[in-house]
PDB file of all heavy atoms in Angstrom:
ATOM      1  N   SER A  63      35.769  18.610 -57.069  1.00 93.00           N
ATOM      2  CA  SER A  63      36.306  18.144 -55.886  1.00 93.00           C
ATOM      3  C   SER A  63      37.064  19.364 -55.155  1.00 93.00           C
ATOM      4  O   SER A  63      37.838  19.987 -55.842  1.00 93.00           O
ATOM      5  CB  SER A  63      37.290  16.995 -56.063  1.00 93.00           C
ATOM      6  OG  SER A  63      37.876  16.587 -55.043  1.00 93.00           O
ATOM      7  N   GLY A  64      36.801  19.551 -53.960  1.00 89.00           N
ATOM      8  CA  GLY A  64      37.481  20.631 -53.315  1.00 89.00           C
ATOM      9  C   GLY A  64      37.375  20.397 -51.691  1.00 89.00           C
ATOM     10  O   GLY A  64      36.481  19.709 -51.222  1.00 89.00           O
ATOM     11  N   ALA A  65      38.271  21.109 -50.936  1.00 86.00           N
ATOM     12  CA  ALA A  65      38.272  21.092 -49.545  1.00 86.00           C
ATOM     13  C   ALA A  65      37.406  22.190 -48.995  1.00 86.00           C
ATOM     14  O   ALA A  65      37.734  23.358 -49.059  1.00 86.00           O
ATOM     15  CB  ALA A  65      39.595  21.132 -49.054  1.00 86.00           C
ATOM     16  N   LEU A  66      36.125  21.821 -48.447  1.00 86.00           N
ATOM     17  CA  LEU A  66      35.289  22.808 -47.917  1.00 86.00           C
ATOM     18  C   LEU A  66      35.168  22.637 -46.386  1.00 86.00           C
ATOM     19  O   LEU A  66      35.243  21.486 -45.904  1.00 86.00           O
ATOM     20  CB  LEU A  66      33.852  22.542 -48.468  1.00 86.00           C
ATOM     21  CG  LEU A  66      32.777  23.410 -48.118  1.00 86.00           C
ATOM     22  CD1 LEU A  66      32.911  24.812 -48.616  1.00 86.00           C
ATOM     23  CD2 LEU A  66      31.368  22.927 -48.526  1.00 86.00           C
ATOM     24  N   GLY A  67      35.076  23.739 -45.623  1.00 83.00           N
ATOM     25  CA  GLY A  67      34.995  23.598 -44.187  1.00 83.00           C
ATOM     26  C   GLY A  67      34.319  24.858 -43.573  1.00 83.00           C
ATOM     27  O   GLY A  67      33.960  25.808 -44.289  1.00 83.00           O
ATOM     28  N   GLY A  68      34.186  24.770 -42.314  1.00 82.00           N
ATOM     29  CA  GLY A  68      33.612  25.850 -41.506  1.00 82.00           C
ATOM     30  C   GLY A  68      34.261  25.968 -40.125  1.00 82.00           C
ATOM     31  O   GLY A  68      34.703  24.923 -39.651  1.00 82.00           O
ATOM     32  N   ILE A  69      34.211  27.148 -39.547  1.00 81.00           N
ATOM     33  CA  ILE A  69      34.769  27.356 -38.273  1.00 81.00           C
ATOM     34  C   ILE A  69      33.556  27.915 -37.416  1.00 81.00           C
ATOM     35  O   ILE A  69      33.146  29.077 -37.865  1.00 81.00           O
ATOM     36  CB  ILE A  69      36.046  28.176 -38.200  1.00 81.00           C
ATOM     37  CG1 ILE A  69      37.123  27.551 -39.130  1.00 81.00           C
ATOM     38  CG2 ILE A  69      36.552  28.551 -36.819  1.00 81.00           C
ATOM     39  CD1 ILE A  69      38.334  28.370 -39.324  1.00 81.00           C
ATOM     40  N   GLY A  70      33.251  27.385 -36.261  1.00 78.00           N
ATOM     41  CA  GLY A  70      32.072  27.872 -35.591  1.00 78.00           C
ATOM     42  C   GLY A  70      32.545  28.876 -34.500  1.00 78.00           C
ATOM     43  O   GLY A  70      33.677  29.226 -34.263  1.00 78.00           O
ATOM     44  N   THR A  71      31.598  29.311 -33.625  1.00 74.00           N
ATOM     45  CA  THR A  71      31.924  30.230 -32.576  1.00 74.00           C
ATOM     46  C   THR A  71      32.423  29.410 -31.384  1.00 74.00           C
ATOM     47  O   THR A  71      32.471  28.251 -31.317  1.00 74.00           O
ATOM     48  CB  THR A  71      30.602  30.937 -32.043  1.00 74.00           C
ATOM     49  OG1 THR A  71      29.679  29.946 -31.480  1.00 74.00           O
ATOM     50  CG2 THR A  71      29.929  31.644 -33.247  1.00 74.00           C
ATOM     51  N   THR A  72      32.910  30.137 -30.331  1.00 69.00           N
ATOM     52  CA  THR A  72      33.345  29.511 -29.047  1.00 69.00           C
ATOM     53  C   THR A  72      32.148  29.257 -28.114  1.00 69.00           C
ATOM     54  O   THR A  72      32.451  28.793 -26.967  1.00 69.00           O
ATOM     55  CB  THR A  72      34.437  30.399 -28.340  1.00 69.00           C
ATOM     56  OG1 THR A  72      33.942  31.638 -28.068  1.00 69.00           O
ATOM     57  CG2 THR A  72      35.661  30.507 -29.231  1.00 69.00           C
ATOM     58  N   SER A  73      30.944  29.425 -28.526  1.00 69.00           N
ATOM     59  CA  SER A  73      29.858  29.188 -27.668  1.00 69.00           C
ATOM     60  C   SER A  73      29.112  27.988 -28.155  1.00 69.00           C
ATOM     61  O   SER A  73      27.847  27.934 -28.026  1.00 69.00           O
ATOM     62  CB  SER A  73      28.996  30.456 -27.494  1.00 69.00           C
ATOM     63  OG  SER A  73      28.500  30.771 -28.834  1.00 69.00           O
ATOM     64  N   GLY A  74      29.714  27.050 -28.924  1.00 64.00           N
ATOM     65  CA  GLY A  74      28.962  25.968 -29.484  1.00 64.00           C
ATOM     66  C   GLY A  74      28.369  26.362 -30.792  1.00 64.00           C
ATOM     67  O   GLY A  74      28.862  27.326 -31.455  1.00 64.00           O
ATOM     68  N   GLY A  75      27.479  25.590 -31.179  1.00 68.00           N
ATOM     69  CA  GLY A  75      26.788  25.873 -32.377  1.00 68.00           C
ATOM     70  C   GLY A  75      27.376  25.134 -33.566  1.00 68.00           C
ATOM     71  O   GLY A  75      28.046  24.140 -33.395  1.00 68.00           O
TER      72      GLY A  75
END
Side-chain angles (χ1 to χ4, degrees):
S63 174
L66 178 69
I69 300 172
T71 67
T72 56
S73 59

